[in-house]
Amino acid sequence: MGLTIAQKIIKEHLIDDGAGLPNLTVDGIPEVGEDVAIRIDQTLTQDATGTMAYLEFETMGIPRVRTELSVAYIDHNMLQSGFENADDHRFIQSMAAKYGLYFSRPGNGICHQVHLERFAVPGKTLIGSDSHTPTAGGIGMLAMGAGGLDVAVAMGGGAYHITMPKMYKVNLTGALRPFVTAKDVSLEILRILSVKGGVGNIIEWGGPGVKTLSVPERATITNMGAELGATTSIFPADEITKAFMEAQGRGDAFTPLASDDDAVYDRVIDIDLSTLEPMIACPHSPDNVVKVSEVAGTKVDQVCIGSCTNSSLFDMLKVAAMLKGKTIDPSVSLSISPGSKQVLRMLSDTGALSDIIASGARVLECACGPCIGMGFSPNSGGVSLRTFNRNFEGRSGTKDANVYLVSPETAVASALTGYITNPLDAASGDPMWVSSVSEVSVPDKFTIDDSAIVPPLADEDAAKVEILRGPNIKEFPVGKPIEDEISAELTLKVGDNITTDHIMPAGSKILPYRSNIPHLSQYCFEVCDATFSERAKAAGESIVVGGINYGQGSSREHAALVPLYLGVRAVIAKSFARIHVANLINAGIIPLTFKNPDDYDKLAQGDKLVIEDVCAGMESGTVKLLDKSSGVDIELTCDFTERQKDILKCGGLLPYVASSTK
Ligand code: MIC
Ligand code: SF4
């Protein structure tokens, strides 16, 4: 039987890190559902999760990173409205210098865009402390988002553990029409599969339509695979990939990569690119997708173009071509954040930047910016159209804003009219527009300027580096070994699809405190219940209950560390998102699922709960929960791999690593 692209990479990176190899099929690949340890070739961090990841790495006492390449990016916390972010940047830079990492300076760009341009390699493995790390799947890399602690372990040479996923294939045929884009493909697959449809799966993009998509377009698609909850998404590495890498001066790093003709997939989804239409995700979920034509005419207050989904030179050149000679509607505020210094510089060199500036757009830094609520929040009740990947309630910084997700083409067409506008309609009366946008392609040669990437120091120089720590760095909590009986109050009951933005919000007021868990704790679950933090503290120990796909979205381990700090001992949900469940275990919080999802309705906030015989339950796979307030008892699934059990018994991944290296 043939193999898929992901199966080939996993097979080549499979390692035994102490627990033995998983059960393998006759083709030598792990059976679906097995715990798989893989060797990680590259890691990336960004600053919002990086500070914590490096503090954790430091405790491991490893003198230098043991990956082929590790990069520390600064792209999220860019406002520097106080000392906090600037101090954290200096801390991360000093850590990079001491431990042998590349350091991408603030202003160099969004980690995923820069990584694709300068470092991603087909066939290699990458984990990053950011959920959109799968962007590098656009180049044929097995790239996954992970919690900071998992990235720290990988930097130290440790394996990354995943549950062997199922293999999905999206079979592309046809070609996109002008003004219908890769973003519309991402939105279409979200419409088909929903935000939980990718959980437990790797999505491979194949079929004859693949050769019509450039690497930046492929990266837009793999980027938004994160919104499906997929383990990752991947494209083959072909002639188009090779040309992109050569244009980046990295042709030597190219290796072709394809699935076997007789590879077997658990599900195949067909998409004919030529029949697609411009799509839009309506508030407040990336899978709330309809055709743009269905909401056309809605008044727009703000339009934002950028983010790791849509900030490539390819996207920006199309945006500039559409804006050329035109002025945005006076009622609209338009922001444009190029994804990297390379993008900005090439926009400037080609003159396209002038067309953008002349249109009335506000050009922002090459950074995440508005995507994570770092400035440019919409007006009260405002409608914001964004080329980003997430439109969760409150994420923009304005709680009652209505955020829609669209392609750059839809964004520009709407910024020009002031209303949600189908770019196909807008283009139908303007043949010049159509030809100038259709002419945009990926250049044969990118301008290479790595002056904002500081390379690793030689060992002798690295040894002399002093780590620079500011007062914003506070101690982080470490879990305690799981007890046989957990007796605690149900301090919060929430619904389905709770995101890590609900659990631990970001935004300009909070994001600067990612290295200060005590400060962050005031805001835990603020979006759902502003009294939670105080109530959890008062309760001492507590339990949180959630619905389906609990913890979707961002990889931030703060969504586990902060509840840990507030005394949360267990989370019970109908189902969990992949990265978050790993973060809970890594923090020493036990994640349990309802055996019968209807039992969710039997528990009420404020109830006193007892989870009995936890240690025996971890062996049998089931524990009993007694609700002392109502007298009801229910069964919970408590199904963990041997390694996860050991981690929980130690009180989290850090104590586990410490105990296994003794
Ligand atoms: C996001 O898009 O939510 C973030 C901010 O990039 C996060 C990381 C973080 O919370 O720092 C992510 O996607 O993992
Ligand atoms: Fe940055 Fe937004 Fe991408 Fe997250 S989704 S990495 S905040 S641009």
Coordinates of all heavy atoms in Angstrom, one line a residue, residues 46-50 76 112 129-132 146 227 308 368 371-372 389-390 392 395 500-501 504 506 511 514 553-558 579, ligand 1:
Q46 N 7.2 32.6 18.9 CA 6.9 34.1 18.7 C 7.0 34.6 20.1 O 7.0 33.9 21.1 CB 5.6 34.4 18.0 CG 4.5 33.4 18.3 CD 3.6 33.9 19.4 OE1 4.0 34.7 20.2 NE2 2.4 33.4 19.5
D47 N 7.0 36.0 20.3 CA 7.2 36.6 21.6 C 6.1 36.3 22.6 O 6.4 36.2 23.8 CB 7.5 38.0 21.4 CG 6.5 38.8 20.6 OD1 6.1 38.2 19.6 OD2 6.2 39.9 20.9
A48 N 4.8 36.3 22.1 CA 3.7 36.2 23.1 C 3.7 34.8 23.8 O 3.3 34.7 24.9 CB 2.4 36.4 22.4
T49 N 4.2 33.8 23.1 CA 4.3 32.5 23.8 C 5.8 32.2 24.1 O 6.1 31.3 24.9 CB 3.8 31.4 22.9 OG1 4.4 31.5 21.6 CG2 2.3 31.4 22.7
G50 N 6.7 32.9 23.4 CA 8.1 32.6 23.5 C 8.7 32.9 24.9 O 9.6 32.1 25.4
H76 N 4.3 39.6 17.8 CA 3.0 39.8 18.4 C 2.9 41.1 19.3 O 2.1 41.9 19.1 CB 2.6 38.6 19.2 CG 2.1 37.4 18.5 ND1 2.9 36.8 17.5 CD2 0.9 36.8 18.5 CE1 2.2 35.8 17.0 NE2 1.0 35.7 17.6
H112 N 5.3 33.2 10.7 CA 5.0 32.2 9.6 C 5.3 32.7 8.2 O 5.8 31.9 7.4 CB 3.5 31.9 9.7 CG 3.0 31.5 11.1 ND1 3.7 30.5 11.8 CD2 2.1 32.1 11.9 CE1 3.1 30.5 13.0 NE2 2.2 31.4 13.1
S129 N 5.4 27.4 18.7 CA 4.5 27.8 19.8 C 3.5 28.8 19.3 O 3.3 29.9 19.8 CB 5.3 28.3 21.0 OG 6.0 29.5 20.6
D130 N 2.8 28.4 18.2 CA 1.8 29.2 17.6 C 1.0 28.3 16.7 O 1.5 27.5 15.9 CB 2.4 30.3 16.7 CG 1.3 31.3 16.4 OD1 0.5 31.1 15.5 OD2 1.3 32.4 17.0
S131 N -0.3 28.4 16.8 CA -1.2 27.4 16.2 C -1.1 27.5 14.6 O -1.6 26.6 14.0 CB -2.7 27.6 16.6 OG -3.1 28.9 16.3
H132 N -0.6 28.6 14.1 CA -0.6 28.7 12.6 C 0.7 28.3 12.0 O 1.0 28.5 10.8 CB -1.0 30.1 12.2 CG -2.4 30.4 12.4 ND1 -2.9 31.1 13.4 CD2 -3.5 29.9 11.8 CE1 -4.2 31.1 13.4 NE2 -4.6 30.4 12.4
A146 N 2.1 23.9 18.7 CA 2.3 23.2 20.0 C 2.3 24.2 21.1 O 2.5 25.4 20.9 CB 3.5 22.4 19.9
E227 N -7.8 26.5 11.8 CA -9.1 26.8 12.2 C -10.0 25.5 12.1 O -11.1 25.5 12.7 CB -9.7 27.9 11.3 CG -9.3 29.3 11.7 CD -7.9 29.5 12.0 OE1 -7.1 29.5 11.0 OE2 -7.5 29.7 13.2
C308 N -0.9 36.4 9.2 CA -0.1 35.3 8.6 C -0.9 34.6 7.5 O -0.3 33.8 6.8 CB 0.3 34.4 9.7 SG -1.0 33.7 10.7
C368 N 1.7 41.1 13.6 CA 0.3 40.6 13.7 C -0.7 41.7 13.9 O -1.8 41.6 13.4 CB 0.2 39.7 15.0 SG 1.3 38.3 14.9
C371 N -4.8 41.7 14.2 CA -5.3 40.3 14.3 C -5.4 39.8 15.7 O -6.2 39.0 16.1 CB -4.3 39.4 13.5 SG -4.8 37.7 13.5
I372 N -4.5 40.3 16.6 CA -4.5 39.8 18.0 C -4.9 41.0 18.9 O -4.5 41.0 20.1 CB -3.2 39.1 18.4 CG1 -3.2 38.4 19.7 CG2 -1.9 40.0 18.2 CD1 -4.3 37.4 19.8
N389 N -7.6 35.1 10.1 CA -8.1 33.7 10.2 C -9.0 33.5 11.3 O -9.6 32.4 11.4 CB -6.9 32.8 10.3 CG -5.9 33.2 11.3 OD1 -6.2 33.7 12.3 ND2 -4.6 33.1 10.9
R390 N -9.2 34.5 12.3 CA -10.0 34.3 13.4 C -10.9 35.5 13.6 O -10.5 36.6 13.6 CB -9.2 34.0 14.7 CG -8.5 32.7 14.6 CD -7.7 32.3 15.9 NE -7.3 31.0 15.7 CZ -6.1 30.5 16.1 NH1 -5.3 31.2 16.8 NH2 -5.8 29.2 15.9
F392 N -13.2 35.4 16.5 CA -13.8 35.1 17.8 C -14.3 36.4 18.4 O -13.6 37.4 18.3 CB -12.9 34.4 18.7 CG -12.2 33.1 18.1 CD1 -10.9 32.8 18.4 CD2 -13.0 32.3 17.3 CE1 -10.3 31.7 17.9 CE2 -12.4 31.1 16.8 CZ -11.0 30.8 17.1
R395 N -12.1 39.3 20.2 CA -10.6 39.2 19.9 C -10.1 40.5 19.3 O -8.9 40.8 19.4 CB -10.4 38.0 18.9 CG -9.0 37.8 18.5 CD -8.9 36.5 17.6 NE -7.7 36.5 16.8 CZ -6.6 35.7 17.1 NH1 -6.6 34.9 18.1 NH2 -5.6 35.7 16.3
T500 N -9.3 29.4 23.2 CA -8.3 29.8 24.2 C -8.4 31.3 24.3 O -7.9 31.8 25.3 CB -6.9 29.3 23.8 OG1 -6.7 29.6 22.5 CG2 -6.8 27.8 24.1
D501 N -9.0 32.0 23.4 CA -9.2 33.5 23.5 C -10.2 33.7 24.6 O -10.2 34.8 25.3 CB -9.6 34.1 22.2 CG -8.5 34.5 21.3 OD1 -8.0 33.6 20.5 OD2 -8.0 35.6 21.4
M504 N -8.1 32.6 28.0 CA -7.0 33.5 28.4 C -7.0 34.6 27.3 O -6.2 34.4 26.3 CB -5.7 32.8 28.6 CG -4.7 33.6 29.3 SD -5.2 34.3 30.9 CE -5.4 36.1 30.5
A506 N -6.3 37.9 24.8 CA -5.1 38.6 24.5 C -5.4 40.1 24.3 O -6.2 40.6 25.1 CB -4.5 38.0 23.2
L511 N -1.8 41.3 26.6 CA -0.7 40.6 25.9 C 0.7 40.9 26.5 O 1.5 40.0 26.6 CB -0.8 40.8 24.4 CG -0.2 39.7 23.5 CD1 -0.9 38.4 23.8 CD2 -0.3 40.1 22.1
R514 N 2.4 38.3 29.2 CA 2.5 36.8 29.0 C 3.6 36.1 29.9 O 3.6 34.9 30.0 CB 2.7 36.5 27.5 CG 1.5 36.7 26.7 CD 0.5 35.5 26.9 NE -0.7 35.6 26.1 CZ -0.8 35.0 24.9 NH1 0.3 34.4 24.3 NH2 -1.9 35.1 24.2
G553 N -8.5 26.9 18.8 CA -7.9 28.2 18.5 C -6.4 28.2 18.8 O -5.7 27.3 18.5
S554 N -6.0 29.3 19.5 CA -4.6 29.5 19.7 C -3.9 28.4 20.5 O -4.5 27.7 21.3 CB -4.5 30.8 20.5 OG -3.4 30.8 21.4
S555 N -2.6 28.3 20.4 CA -1.8 27.3 21.1 C -1.4 27.8 22.5 O -0.7 27.1 23.2 CB -0.5 27.0 20.3 OG 0.3 28.2 20.3
R556 N -1.8 29.0 22.9 CA -1.2 29.6 24.1 C -1.4 28.7 25.3 O -2.5 28.3 25.7 CB -1.9 31.0 24.3 CG -3.3 31.0 24.5 CD -3.9 32.4 24.5 NE -3.9 32.9 23.2 CZ -4.8 33.8 22.7 NH1 -5.8 34.3 23.5 NH2 -4.8 34.2 21.5
E557 N -0.2 28.3 25.9 CA -0.3 27.4 27.0 C -0.8 28.2 28.3 O -1.1 27.6 29.3 CB 1.1 26.8 27.3 CG 2.2 27.8 27.6 CD 3.6 27.1 27.7 OE1 3.7 25.9 28.1 OE2 4.6 27.8 27.4
H558 N -0.8 29.5 28.1 CA -1.3 30.3 29.2 C -2.8 29.9 29.5 O -3.2 30.1 30.7 CB -1.3 31.8 28.8 CG 0.1 32.2 28.5 ND1 0.8 31.9 27.3 CD2 1.1 32.9 29.3 CE1 2.0 32.3 27.4 NE2 2.2 32.9 28.5
I579 N -4.3 20.9 20.6 CA -3.1 21.5 21.3 C -3.5 21.8 22.7 O -2.7 21.6 23.6 CB -2.7 22.8 20.6 CG1 -2.4 22.5 19.1 CG2 -1.5 23.4 21.2 CD1 -2.0 23.8 18.3
Ligands
MIC1 C1 -3.3 33.6 17.7 O1 -3.5 33.8 16.5 O2 -4.3 33.4 18.5 C2 -2.0 33.7 18.3 C3 -1.9 34.9 19.1 O3 -1.0 33.8 17.3 C4 -1.7 32.4 19.1 C5 -0.5 32.4 20.0 C6 -0.7 33.2 21.2 O4 -1.7 33.2 21.9 O5 0.3 33.8 21.6 C7 -1.8 31.2 18.3 O6 -2.3 31.1 17.3 O7 -1.3 30.1 18.8

